[in-house]
Structures are given as C-alpha cells and as structure tokens.
Amino acid sequence: QVQLVESGGGSVQAGGSLRLSCAASGNTDSRFYMGWFRQLPGTEREGVAVISSGGVSTDYADSVKGRFTISRDNSKNTAFLQMNNLRPEDTATYYCAACSRPWGACLNRRAADFAYWGQGTQVTVSS
C-alpha cells in the first residue's frame, strides 16, 4: 500500500502561482510514475501531468503546457506540481496519484492506470 498526501492548494488570483506537493509513504517505490489529476464536481478526472519514475520523462495536458511543471524528489518521496499563470478554468480539486503500469503506459495520463490516490487539495483561481 502507498499513502499519498497532497498539500499546497489554496485561492489565488488569475496570473498567480501555486506549488502543490505530494508526500508518499508506506510501500514507496521509486519505480512508480507520479501524476497529477484535477476534477470538478460531476466531471471525470483530467490527467494534468505525469512524470516517470526517474524523472526523465514527463507529459502534460495541452491546457497546461508551458504553465505547469511536474517534478519529483525521490530522496524525499515527494512529487510537485508548480502552477504558474493560473487561470480561472484551472479551478478544481487536484489529486496526486501513483502508477506502476509497464512500458510507459502511465504517461497516457489515464486515471484508470493509477492505483493509488491522495485525498485531493482544492485550487481556486479568481478572475
């Protein structure tokens, strides 16, 4: 089992920045890919960004490319999502997740491929 705890959410004005953190504990394993998803009530979770186990490969949703950066520090079992130039449409609950599917499948950012999830942190961007 892997436990994931997100932090860093909050309220910010459009154009502002936030940095989300995801601390992993339990049966942590550096082979896990880490991803960030977001969700509005009544909608499906959208894969925002994912990073490979070693941090070499990343993938982003088109809507956040150039504004969001995913990173990880395996020595601290922590993943991050730096969000810059935030827009009102970025408002959502953000979830951290871990994936161990083979052959890079995790980079497809499909929620069904991620076995472990955090409880979520709210991000609100006002215009």
Side-chain angles (χ1 to χ4, degrees):
Q1 281 289 73
V2 175
Q3 292 79 44
L4 303 173
V5 179
E6 303 97 336
S7 61
S11 297
V12 64
Q13 288 191 326
S17 299
L18 285 172
R19 189 191 195 206
L20 305 183
S21 298
C22 173
S25 62
N27 188 21
T28 58
D29 191 328
S30 61
R31 64 183 170 87
F32 283 113
Y33 283 49
M34 299 300 296
W36 288 95
F37 291 75
R38 64 187 181 188
Q39 186 175 28
L40 288 171
T43 67
E44 292 186 0
R45 289 187 183 182
E46 174 192 16
V48 174
V50 63
I51 187 167
S52 61
S53 55
V56 174
S57 299
T58 58
D59 193 72
Y60 297 90
D62 288 343
S63 57
V64 306
K65 281 181 181 177
R67 300 188 298 122
F68 291 11
T69 302
I70 188 171
S71 61
R72 65 190 295 164
D73 184 342
N74 286 341
S75 68
K76 298 180 179 179
N77 293 324
T78 303
F80 305 95
L81 185 68
Q82 178 66 44
M83 305 185 295
N84 297 328
N85 192 20
L86 283 160
R87 304 167 180 170
E89 53 264 38
D90 295 319
T91 295
T93 301
Y94 282 71
Y95 297 89
C96 171
C99 171
S100 61
R101 293 291 301 276
W103 306 112
C106 307
L107 290 173
N108 292 324
R109 291 181 283 109
R110 288 190 301 258
D113 290 329
F114 287 72
Y116 302 101
W117 292 85
Q119 82 289 350
T121 185
Q122 179 66 34
V123 171
T124 302
V125 184
S126 58
S127 59

